[in-house]
């Protein structure tokens, strides 16, 4: 959960009631560790606990704002390579089995891919590549041994993407019916229909959660979902899913609705499969130079979004390139006409032109923000003689398609679980990571390792900027714009709170209550 928004914390909390939430689409499974989307994190985060979490009272995530969860305290060794967690006693899994240090060890083995029965897809293996091993000291102490110092490891562990899993439940079962230690117990998932969770009566936090349960109804059509919200069928829209113009519509139809519009660490970006012509750096750079980022910000967010590169831009992002550096990068010059002129010269030098355009399919996920941005992109690509035809892909097929490299050119969204170089770079840009365009640069990998081990945060920032500049210069997944996302809820929903620089870290719902 994020910062307290003014939603009525002054009243006495009421127990009971089922929160009704509109859900945007049908996820592939219910296993947070095996999925890369907020479509899973939102309904499933309340089923689990982490070792540590971001403080729900602080709106912006940071290393300074990390608080205990299943770990009651933690200590670093002098050399910064060992992190020891004291664990909470008396916690039980939803099936009644006790939670112990062995579960922490098993979770890290799953993440490392060294467990007897591993994940089918391991999205965040790269986050924990620096973990050498995890040992236990009795039932209530887990020790993380690192290859090199990594001060930001705690931020990764605090993400909604890093719940602790039980040793005794196989990954296949966690995909279908997850078992956690969290405030809510999983009940059922009916694809394309609904996801249901109920109150965990044995939750280790006394008195939490307040709700009896949460029901997520899957409605793929955003207009239908909003009409249902306004008519009273739902208490809350899917987090961050509403655009700026649609928030205005909701407020006009339902003046009592509480709405929040927050910056997200989510950017629409281009994926270029590195087969001809996109195996050529110059062609990729020409594509990056053809983008009019201001048009994306103006159309998609009514001017409220941001242009940025690999790391989320400030002030919400803590690591983004300063505007004066960004302006020098390919495609970020405010003079778009001049950039496109240079891009056309590159294209012409490679034999392309009005009579010989590049014809291709532009693949994108079947969600409104993906589709709408793709329409803008197609019109911009025409400026440099790229003739793109839109190909819509259902959510469950989208990531498998990218993993298979079964696309020519894609418009995707990259959502970062933590605003930190230790997450963004290893997950999206390191050799072997999910760039989906087979980018591998050993020099970048060395810089990623260097910034990770650097304890001086200002020195670390300079290295992070150098990495960002290099990635932007090489047109690796060019970012189109950083998004703003809206969430609305009925006035009866109290204590709902939202974090601004990650959409993945705030949905345990244990403090939410209903006044009805």
């Amino acid at each position: 959960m994020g910062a307290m928004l003014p939603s009525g914390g002054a009243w006495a909390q009421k127990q009971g009631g089922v929160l009704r939430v509109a859900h945007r689409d049908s996820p592939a499974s219910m296993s947070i560790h095996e999925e890369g989307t907020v479509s899973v994190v939102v309904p499933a985060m309340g089923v689990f606990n982490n070792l540590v979490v971001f403080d729900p009272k602080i709106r912006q995530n940071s290393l300074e704002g990390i608080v205990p969860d299943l770990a009651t305290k933690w200590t670093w060794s002098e050399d910064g390579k060992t992190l020891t967690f004291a664990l909470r006693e008396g916690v039980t899994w939803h099936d009644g089995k006790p939670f112990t240090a062995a579960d922490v060890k098993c979770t890290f083995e799953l993440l490392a891919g060294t467990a007897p029965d591993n994940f089918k897809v391991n999205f965040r293996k790269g986050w924990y590549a620096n973990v050498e091993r995890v040992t236990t000291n009795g039932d209530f102490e887990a020790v993380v041994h690192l290859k090199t110092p990594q001060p930001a490891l705690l931020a990764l562990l605090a993400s909604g993407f890093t719940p602790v899993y039980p040793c005794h439940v196989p990954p296949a079962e966690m995909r279908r019916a997850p078992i956690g230690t969290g405030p809510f117990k999983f009940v059922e998932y009916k694809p394309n229909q609904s996801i249901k969770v109920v109150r965990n009566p044995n939750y280790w936090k006394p008195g939490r959660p307040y709700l009896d349960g949460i029901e997520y109804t899957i409605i793929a059509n955003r207009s239908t979902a909003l009409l249902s919200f306004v008519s009273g069928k739902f208490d809350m829209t899917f987090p961050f899913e509403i655009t700026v113009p649609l928030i205005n519509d909701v407020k006009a139809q339902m003046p009592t609705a509480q709405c929040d519009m927050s910056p997200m660490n989510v950017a629409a970006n281009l994926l270029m499969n590195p087969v001809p012509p996109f195996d050529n750096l110059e062609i990729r750079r020409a594509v990056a130079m053809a983008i009019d980022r201001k048009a994306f910000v103006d159309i998609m967010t009514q001017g409220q979004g941001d242009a940025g590169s690999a790391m989320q831009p400030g002030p919400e992002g803590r690591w983004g390139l300063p505007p004066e550096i960004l302006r020098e990068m390919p495609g970020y010059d405010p003079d778009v006409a001049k950039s496109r002129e240079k891009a056309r010269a590159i294209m012409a030098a490679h034999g392309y032109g009005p009579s010989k355009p590049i014809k291709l399919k532009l693949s994108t996920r079947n969600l409104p923000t993906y589709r709408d941005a793709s329409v803008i992109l197609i019109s911009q690509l025409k400026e440099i003689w790229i003739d793109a035809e839109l190909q819509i892909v259902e959510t469950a097929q989208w990531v498998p398609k990218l993993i298979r490299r079964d696309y020519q050119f894609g418009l995707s969204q990259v959502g970062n679980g933590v605003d930190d170089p230790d997450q963004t770079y290893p997950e999206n840009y390191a050799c072997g990571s999910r760039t989906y365009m087979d980018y591998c640069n050993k020099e970048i990998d060395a810089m990623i390792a260097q910034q990770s081990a650097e304890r001086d945060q200002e020195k670390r920032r300079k290295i992070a900027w150098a990495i960002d500049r290099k990635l932007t210069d090489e047109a690796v997944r060019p970012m189109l714009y950083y998004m703003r996302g809206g969430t609305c809820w009925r006035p009866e929903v109290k204590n709902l709170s939202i974090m601004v620089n990650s959409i993945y870290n705030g949905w345990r719902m244990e403090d939410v209550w209903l006044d009805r």
Side-chain angles (χ1 to χ4, degrees):
M1 300 272 309
M4 295 287 204
L5 293 176
S7 53
W11 288 273
Q13 289 91 340
K14 281 185 183 175
Q15 291 285 157
V18 174
L19 185 72
R20 304 160 306 163
V21 184
H23 195 298
R24 67 180 187 174
D25 68 355
S26 204
S29 84
M30 283 288 101
S31 176
I32 288 180
H33 281 299
E34 294 184 76
E35 300 295 337
T37 169
V38 71
S39 295
V40 176
V41 175
V42 167
M45 191 176 167
V47 173
F48 297 103
N49 289 107
N50 291 20
L51 285 169
V52 292
V53 285
F54 291 107
D55 187 341
K57 294 179 212 63
I58 301 173
R59 198 158 149 78
Q60 188 178 41
N61 303 167
S62 74
L63 262 178
E64 296 77 55
I66 290 173
V67 294
D69 205 27
L70 287 174
T72 54
K73 61 177 196 235
W74 52 92
T75 47
W76 284 101
S77 62
E78 195 81 1
D79 65 358
K81 286 167 65 175
T82 309
L83 180 57
T84 303
F85 290 100
L87 303 178
R88 203 170 290 283
E89 301 187 27
V91 175
T92 55
W93 294 98
H94 293 153
D95 59 5
K97 298 251 180 9
F99 156 74
T100 70
D103 297 307
V104 177
K105 185 173 186 282
C106 286
T107 301
F108 274 97
E109 285 166 359
L110 282 165
L111 286 165
T114 58
D117 183 6
N118 280 308
F119 293 141
K120 206 160 61 171
V121 182
N122 193 346
F123 272 113
R124 280 158 291 280
K125 186 177 184 177
W127 285 25
Y128 300 105
N130 188 37
V131 175
E132 196 166 53
R133 68 189 193 285
V134 173
T135 56
T136 60
N137 183 13
D139 281 347
F140 301 107
E141 189 173 282
V143 186
V144 181
H145 305 267
L146 302 175
K147 296 169 192 169
T148 56
Q150 187 182 7
L153 183 77
L154 279 168
L156 305 182
L157 293 172
S159 159
F161 273 137
T162 313
V164 178
Y165 270 23
C167 272
H168 63 280
V169 183
E173 191 64 21
M174 295 296 280
R175 291 193 284 274
R176 199 186 56 79
I179 284 174
T181 55
F184 294 97
K185 295 167 79 162
F186 176 81
V187 177
E188 64 175 10
Y189 167 37
K190 293 181 178 170
N192 299 305
Q193 292 179 51
S194 63
I195 300 164
K196 291 178 183 169
V197 297
V198 295
R199 184 176 192 272
N200 171 13
N202 304 313
Y203 190 41
W204 54 269
K205 278 191 193 176
R208 298 290 196 284
Y210 297 116
L211 298 167
D212 286 335
I214 308 174
E215 287 183 7
Y216 299 88
T217 303
I218 295 164
I219 300 180
N221 185 302
R222 189 166 54 187
S223 306
T224 309
L226 287 185
L227 285 170
S228 301
F229 169 72
V230 169
S231 70
K233 189 178 172 197
F234 297 118
D235 301 305
M236 181 182 161
T237 64
F238 192 80
F240 295 97
E241 192 64 12
I242 311 183
T243 59
V244 179
L246 287 174
I247 282 225
N248 299 335
D249 291 352
V250 169
K251 294 292 281 182
Q253 294 175 65
M254 188 185 167
T256 58
Q258 313 243 335
C259 293
D260 173 86
M261 177 60 67
S262 286
M264 302 189 284
N265 198 346
V266 177
N269 66 109
L270 291 185
L271 297 174
M272 291 176 262
N273 197 351
V275 294
F278 300 119
D279 56 342
N280 185 313
L281 172 59
E282 288 197 349
I283 297 284
R284 293 202 305 271
R285 218 176 251 152
V287 169
M289 289 162 74
I291 298 163
D292 179 353
R293 288 176 169 81
K294 188 175 183 305
F296 279 99
V297 168
D298 288 349
I299 298 165
M300 297 297 294
T301 72
Q302 290 198 342
Q304 291 194 34
D306 302 285
S309 46
M311 295 299 299
Q312 184 184 12
E316 293 83 13
R318 293 163 177 261
W319 301 92
L321 282 177
E324 62 276 12
I325 297 179
L326 199 57
R327 277 196 294 271
E328 300 164 9
M329 307 309 296
Y332 289 88
D333 187 328
D335 188 343
V336 176
K338 189 173 85 180
S339 282
R340 285 179 175 169
E341 210 171 296
K342 289 182 189 166
R344 281 190 289 269
I346 293 169
M347 296 292 280
H350 287 83
Y352 298 105
S355 57
K356 194 196 168 189
I358 296 175
K359 287 184 180 287
L360 53 78
K361 282 191 165 69
L362 171 67
S363 305
T364 201
R365 183 175 171 188
N366 192 13
L367 284 175
T369 51
Y370 287 70
R371 295 193 306 262
D372 295 350
S374 297
V375 171
I376 300 168
L377 179 63
I378 286 170
S379 71
Q380 294 190 5
L381 292 173
K382 287 192 171 85
E383 298 285 334
I384 61 160
W385 312 311
I386 294 178
D387 189 1
E389 177 196 337
L390 190 57
Q391 180 186 53
I392 302 288
V393 183
E394 290 307 316
T395 284
Q397 304 307 317
W398 178 236
V399 170
K401 188 179 178 72
L402 297 182
I403 289 171
R404 293 194 306 270
R405 307 291 182 269
D406 176 22
Y407 75 96
Q408 282 178 286
F409 197 88
L411 185 144
S412 189
Q413 288 175 11
V414 58
N416 290 305
V418 186
D419 178 34
D420 194 278
D422 271 15
Q423 183 255 295
T424 304
Y425 293 148
E427 182 174 339
N428 300 311
Y429 300 101
C431 294
S433 71
R434 58 167 182 156
T435 56
Y436 302 132
M437 48 179 284
D438 301 320
Y439 178 77
C440 179
N441 182 327
K442 297 294 184 191
E443 187 190 340
I444 289 280
D445 280 16
M447 292 166 80
I448 292 172
Q450 185 193 358
Q451 66 77 31
S452 181
E454 178 54 66
R455 296 192 198 188
D456 180 319
Q457 294 301 292
E458 271 315 302
K459 285 184 186 164
R460 187 174 175 230
R461 193 182 312 276
K462 296 286 185 346
I463 307 167
W465 286 354
I467 296 169
D468 203 338
R469 288 178 77 147
K470 197 160 179 56
L471 293 170
T472 307
D473 187 55
E474 294 188 12
V476 186
R477 298 177 76 162
M479 299 296 156
L480 301 174
Y481 72 107
Y482 275 80
M483 301 163 75
R484 289 286 194 281
T487 313
C488 292
W489 57 96
R490 301 184 66 78
E492 301 92 301
V493 179
K494 307 295 182 185
N495 233 17
L496 180 68
S497 35
I498 293 172
M499 287 178 164
V500 297
N501 65 354
S502 179
I503 65 174
Y504 301 98
N505 302 338
W507 303 107
R508 199 175 283 162
M509 303 287 198
E510 63 188 20
D511 296 315
V512 172
W513 55 282
L514 288 169
D515 186 26
R516 64 168 175 238

